[in-house]
Amino acid sequence: GAVVSQHPSRVICKSGTSVKIECRSLDFQATTMFWYRQFPKQSLMLMATSNEGSKATYEQGVEKDKFLINHASLTLSTLTVTSAHPEDSSFYICSARDSGPGANVLTFGAGSRLTVL
Amino acid sequence: GDSVTQMEGPVTLSEEAFLTINCTYTATGYPSLFWYVQYPGEGLQLLLKATKADDKGSNKGFEATYRKETTSFHLEKGSVQVSDSAVYFCALKQFGNQFYFGTGTSLTVIP
């Protein structure tokens, strides 16, 4: 089945630094990937839609300059949290839609837990 | 707009008890409906899905039936196990790539 790999799974950084999270589709091509943020005991909040070869589409209220998204190839999207602050600490999850036999099903990465000190 | 409403948790059950997690949706048209499960420290995994009215999705003993008349997609399992402890998310997909998730329901199964 479709597999999405996300790295790193956990990262701790100092306030003011930038952190990059990678999301890869391992056995399928994804022209579109999605980045979600999950707060404790809450649902997933869609942050942005990452489009291969073009600019990401951000949801209302998400800072484009803070959460930089790059979708450089059909199998890789990256989320960079710039100048991270403690309030950016969260669980970030990426997903991609498999257009194969499992069409219209989102496959999720395992998530990346960011802790900003 | 489109949305999903899930019963609030947490839910605590004894092993072998019957499970129901309610999910209702609001959508124009005919969305596809999903249940995803999230185990501690992991991302979401697709549990089951249904793409049209009256379809029943099933997997690992879990079932959910797409009820258009009641706009519901309740998750059920006849006999839960400790390993079923997780957070369960109901979701819908309408047009394009946008998925809408419920707030999640935490299930704890005790031996």
Side-chain angles (χ1 to χ4, degrees):
Chain A
V3 177
V4 172
S5 173
Q6 196 171 334
H7 177 80
S9 58
R10 295 178 184 274
V11 57
I12 300 173
C13 70
K14 293 182 179 179
S15 185
T17 61
S18 295
V19 173
K20 180 185 286 187
I21 301 170
E22 293 187 347
C23 180
R24 294 180 184 273
S25 56
L26 296 186
D27 49 3
F28 66 100
Q29 294 184 332
T31 55
T32 304
M33 293 184 176
F34 305 91
W35 287 97
Y36 293 85
R37 183 173 179 176
Q38 185 179 30
F39 293 96
K41 300 183 180 180
Q42 295 188 29
S43 187
L44 285 74
M45 180 191 79
L46 179 64
M47 298 174 65
T49 302
S50 173
N51 304 299
E52 188 270 334
S54 64
K55 291 182 179 180
T57 304
Y58 290 82
E59 296 300 302
Q60 191 172 10
V62 177
E63 297 178 62
K64 301 178 183 181
D65 295 333
K66 168 167 271 301
F67 299 102
L68 301 180
I69 292 173
N70 185 5
H71 196 146
S73 75
L74 288 172
T75 59
L76 173 64
S77 174
T78 60
L79 167 68
T80 301
V81 182
T82 63
S83 186
H85 292 283
E87 57 265 31
D88 299 324
S89 299
S90 191
F91 195 55
Y92 294 88
I93 306 177
C94 71
S95 69
R97 188 169 72 92
D98 181 5
S99 58
N104 292 325
V105 171
L106 273 184
T107 301
F108 286 84
S112 299
R113 184 164 300 284
L114 170 63
T115 302
V116 184
L117 302 178
Chain B
D2 295 348
S3 66
V4 174
T5 302
Q6 255 180 269
M7 67 180 282
E8 293 188 14
V11 175
T12 302
L13 294 174
S14 297
E15 207 165 21
E16 298 184 3
F18 184 86
L19 168 71
T20 300
I21 300 178
N22 290 336
C23 171
T24 57
Y25 68 89
T26 300
T28 56
Y30 305 95
S32 295
L33 301 173
F34 306 81
W35 277 100
Y36 280 84
V37 58
Q38 184 180 31
Y39 297 102
E42 299 183 14
L44 277 70
Q45 303 173 25
L46 177 65
L47 181 59
L48 53 85
K49 67 182 176 81
T51 58
K52 61 182 187 297
D54 298 326
D55 269 3
K56 176 185 285 187
S58 62
N59 185 27
K60 299 180 181 180
F62 291 89
E63 293 183 343
T65 302
Y66 189 141
R67 302 286 188 196
K68 189 174 185 300
E69 62 276 13
T70 55
T71 61
S72 65
F73 193 54
H74 304 321
L75 181 68
E76 297 182 336
K77 185 173 185 181
S79 176
V80 294
Q81 305 301 312
V82 172
S83 57
D84 294 326
S85 298
V87 180
Y88 293 82
F89 292 90
C90 185
L92 75 81
K93 178 185 177 300
Q94 185 88 277
F95 308 111
N97 294 314
Q98 176 69 294
F99 277 68
Y100 297 89
F101 288 87
T103 53
T105 302
S106 174
L107 170 67
T108 300
V109 180
I110 55 177

